[in-house]
């Protein structure tokens, strides 16, 4: 594989989880206007944007092949870590604190093509339920900010439990042709699947989900980095999120010699991928897997160099709260669905007794992130 491909592929399949994200909107004329550097009004916040020609307050440095990489580490011992605001117009997101940032750039595409974040570890010694609640709270925030589920072109459009079975096709005895890399964010992972060992390597996410908004793809993933057989109810989890330009990723579908004219060749490639999806979905139906017939691939975005700079303005938190949910995992302000003891990982395991019909207590956010109450087992 060429150096160009390795740089872009380095974090395309990576993930994230953040318990607190907020949306923003607006745009201005081309020019970086700080997107890609630390926010001068808030030194604890770093603004980054796909397409920016600056990163960490400096112009992007390119090598001989027109590629550039940059990274930043933050000492885990410091009391406070910076947050990253991913600037993307109405789809802007503000992450929790981060430990590490990796970026990739391509001169031919005009700037940053990929931004990969490792969040400051909020899930050391978490129970599997706490880790699951954390990630699903993140995804509700992402979707509340307008991001939509993304399924790879050519992959079967599996939904619900079918996406889980196909993601771990070897375990479920399914043909490799129906396998997928990303789960349906609307499907709640069973705890027994959280604790199963031997699914992936230490440097690959165990679970990943993919979203799209206006020419940018976001992969969210949950890694587990330690499994203690003596204490199987707990684990060490970490979360990552990776933003990548749709243009940069789609170009990788073509041989390097053809990438300069990939848009001209896209109709033929799109037809090829559609045929592959049709064949794989036919096989998936034979395996009794459920297809999401309503899903449509996102449109092809214009070239990065032709897009206006996206400037984000943070909205009030209440405007981006996830939609109200029912069941045994509920948000502050929801009606309690069942009498019992409820605990919230973001409140450091605080337990409250709430009767059916009463309103679940606040706050909506803690210093850790989004508060989600879940019913304790009897």
């Amino acid at each position: 594989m060429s150096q160009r491909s390795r740089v872009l592929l380095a974090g395309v399949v990576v993930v994230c989880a953040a318990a607190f994200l907020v949306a923003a909107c607006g745009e201005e004329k081309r020019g970086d206007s700080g997107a890609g550097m630390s926010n001068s009004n808030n030194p604890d916040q770093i603004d980054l944007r796909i397409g920016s020609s600056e990163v960490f307050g400096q112009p992007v440095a390119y090598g001989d092949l027109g590629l550039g990489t940059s990274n930043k580490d933050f000492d885990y011992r410091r009391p406070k870590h910076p947050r990253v605001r991913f600037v993307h117009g109405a789809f802007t997101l503000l992450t929790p604190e981060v430990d590490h940032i990796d970026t990739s750039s391509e001169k031919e595409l005009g700037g940053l093509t990929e931004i990969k974040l490792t969040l400051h570890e909020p899930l050391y010694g978490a129970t599997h339920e706490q880790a699951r609640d954390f990630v699903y709270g993140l995804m509700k925030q992402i979707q509340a900010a307008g991001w939509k589920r993304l399924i790879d072109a050519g992959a079967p459009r599996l939904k619900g439990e079918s996406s889980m079975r196909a993601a771990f096709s070897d375990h479920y005895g399914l043909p490799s042709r129906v396998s997928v890399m990303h789960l349906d964010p609307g499907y709640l992972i069973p705890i027994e699947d959280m604790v199963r060992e031997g699914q992936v390597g230490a440097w690959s996410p165990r679970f990943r989900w993919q979203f799209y908004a206006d020419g940018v793809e976001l992969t969210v993933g949950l890694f587990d980095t330690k499994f203690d057989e003596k204490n199987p109810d707990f684990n060490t989890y970490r979360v990552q999120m990776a933003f990548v330009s749709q243009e940069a990723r789609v170009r990788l579908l073509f041989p390097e010699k053809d990438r300069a004219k990939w848009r001209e060749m896209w109709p033929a490639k799109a037809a090829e991928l559609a045929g592959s999806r049709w064949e794989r979905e036919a096989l998936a139906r034979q395996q009794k897997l459920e297809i999401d017939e309503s899903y449509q691939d996102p449109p092809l975005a214009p070239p990065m160099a032709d897009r206006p700079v996206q400037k984000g303005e943070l909205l009030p938190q209440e405007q981006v709260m996830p939609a109200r949910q029912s069941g045994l995992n509920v948000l502050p302000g929801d009606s309690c669905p069942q009498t019992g003891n409820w605990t919230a990982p973001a409140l450091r395991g605080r337990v409250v007794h709430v009767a059916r019909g009463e309103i679940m207590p606040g706050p909506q956010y803690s210093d850790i992130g989004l508060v989600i109450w879940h019913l304790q087992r009897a």
Side-chain angles (χ1 to χ4, degrees):
M1 181 182 293
S2 69
Q3 180 180 350
R4 181 187 299 265
S5 298
R6 286 195 296 269
V7 169
L8 286 174
L9 280 173
V12 168
V13 185
V14 185
V15 268
C16 93
F20 179 72
L21 298 174
V22 278
C25 61
E27 62 180 48
E28 60 185 30
K29 295 181 180 178
R30 176 152 291 280
D32 282 322
S33 300
M37 62 183 71
S38 297
N39 188 321
S40 59
N41 296 323
N42 182 1
D44 295 322
Q45 177 180 302
I46 297 174
D47 288 359
L48 293 170
R49 176 180 62 81
I50 291 295
S52 175
S53 60
E54 293 187 358
V55 61
F56 307 133
Q58 300 293 327
V60 170
Y62 297 104
D64 293 339
L65 297 179
L67 305 177
T69 60
S70 185
N71 63 75
K72 202 174 240 333
D73 278 306
F74 303 97
D75 190 340
Y76 71 92
R77 295 168 295 185
R78 60 187 289 178
K80 189 173 183 180
H81 291 66
R83 304 171 76 188
V84 170
R85 184 174 67 157
F86 177 72
V87 179
H88 195 45
F91 308 101
T92 292
L93 301 174
L94 180 64
T95 76
E97 298 176 12
V98 300
D99 275 347
H100 185 80
I101 303 172
D102 281 305
T103 70
S104 299
S105 307
E106 188 164 352
K107 190 172 185 179
E108 187 176 347
L109 297 182
L112 293 181
T113 55
E114 183 184 31
I115 299 165
K116 181 172 65 177
L117 311 175
T118 301
L119 304 184
H120 184 55
E121 301 288 1
L123 295 174
Y124 278 122
T127 67
H128 304 294
E129 287 182 329
Q130 288 171 342
R132 182 179 67 177
D133 285 352
F134 184 85
V135 173
Y136 278 86
L138 159 72
M139 292 192 292
K140 286 182 179 295
Q141 292 284 3
I142 292 172
Q143 291 171 305
W147 294 70
K148 305 297 183 183
R149 182 192 180 192
L150 176 66
I151 299 175
D152 288 330
R157 300 165 296 169
L158 301 179
K159 62 188 296 187
E161 182 184 4
S162 294
S163 68
M164 167 66 78
R165 294 175 61 197
F168 301 104
S169 55
D170 288 347
H171 174 79
Y172 289 100
L174 295 173
S176 60
R177 282 286 290 165
V178 304
S179 65
V180 295
M181 297 181 65
H182 305 97
L183 304 181
D184 179 354
Y187 173 69
L188 185 66
I189 301 172
I191 293 300
E192 55 266 29
D193 282 315
M194 295 282 289
V195 302
R196 186 187 310 127
E197 293 186 77
Q199 297 182 81
V200 293
W203 297 106
S204 297
R206 172 165 289 199
F207 304 106
R208 46 192 155 199
W209 300 263
Q210 196 166 231
F211 301 89
Y212 173 87
D214 193 21
V216 174
E217 300 177 4
L218 165 59
T219 305
V220 174
L222 176 64
F223 295 69
D224 63 359
T225 59
K226 181 181 179 182
F227 186 87
D228 186 352
E229 292 182 352
K230 297 180 180 179
N231 195 5
D233 292 333
F234 295 86
N235 207 341
T236 296
Y237 288 93
R238 67 187 176 96
V239 290
Q240 289 184 334
M241 59 196 313
F243 301 89
V244 63
S245 154
Q246 179 200 52
E247 181 176 14
R249 192 186 69 83
V250 172
R251 279 163 50 100
L252 293 178
L253 298 175
F254 296 85
E256 188 167 3
K257 63 182 180 62
D258 294 331
R259 288 178 189 162
K261 54 181 180 180
W262 74 270
R263 286 184 179 271
E264 302 171 29
M265 303 175 67
W266 174 248
K269 174 62 72 173
E272 174 189 332
L273 293 170
S276 175
R277 171 176 286 171
W278 185 89
E279 292 176 0
R280 295 173 69 183
E281 289 184 355
L283 181 58
R285 289 186 180 92
Q286 294 175 11
Q287 301 296 319
K288 309 300 183 184
L289 299 178
E290 188 176 6
I291 306 298
D292 184 356
E293 303 285 357
S294 66
Y295 177 85
Q296 294 186 354
D297 292 318
L300 199 61
M304 284 175 50
D306 296 343
R307 297 168 61 83
V309 170
Q310 299 294 304
K311 180 180 180 181
E313 296 177 2
L314 298 180
L315 299 176
Q317 292 180 8
E318 60 270 17
Q319 292 187 358
V320 294
M321 280 295 293
R324 296 305 186 191
Q325 56 180 334
S326 60
L328 300 185
N329 294 283
V330 295
L331 299 171
D334 286 346
S335 175
C336 178
Q338 181 174 325
T339 298
N341 292 326
W342 295 78
T343 184
L347 297 177
R348 293 178 170 80
R350 174 185 168 192
V351 178
V352 298
H353 183 84
V354 186
R356 179 182 174 87
E358 292 182 348
I359 299 302
M360 301 301 296
Q364 293 177 340
Y365 298 94
S366 72
D367 58 341
I368 295 177
L370 177 71
V371 173
I372 301 176
W373 293 101
H374 63 86
L375 186 66
Q376 286 189 328
R377 298 174 182 175

